[in-house]
Amino acid sequence: VKVRVVGLHTHDTAKLPIDDLPWAIVMRPIGLSNTHPPKEGTSVVVFFNDWPECQMPIVMGSLHGVPQ
């Protein structure tokens, strides 16, 4: 999935289009058969596999609520 990280990326899609955002790997529990990615606008929790470059985000999970 593509992720826009609060505090790292601007929310202005004219300055940073979705296509230019980094791809993130979605972490899943072992044996989980549901492979649907989060819907666009879903708030997720990430960590970076390449700190401090912050170009390899890994999604740990999503936050409950309605996509923004």
Side-chain angles (χ1 to χ4, degrees):
V1 297
K2 296 272 188 160
V3 294
R4 185 177 305 273
V5 179
V6 175
L8 182 62
H9 302 123
T10 178
H11 287 283
D12 185 344
T13 56
K15 291 182 181 177
L16 183 58
I18 292 172
D19 288 341
D20 293 341
L21 292 170
W23 282 99
I25 296 169
V26 179
M27 183 184 296
R28 301 273 187 202
I30 294 174
L32 185 63
S33 62
N34 182 0
T35 59
H36 300 292
K39 293 181 181 180
E40 185 175 333
T42 300
S43 295
V44 296
V45 177
V46 302
F47 69 92
F48 291 95
N49 197 34
D50 65 336
W51 182 264
E53 289 81 14
C54 299
Q55 293 299 305
M56 296 174 63
I58 297 175
V59 176
M60 295 176 55
S62 61
L63 300 175
H64 182 70
V66 177
Q68 299 297 313

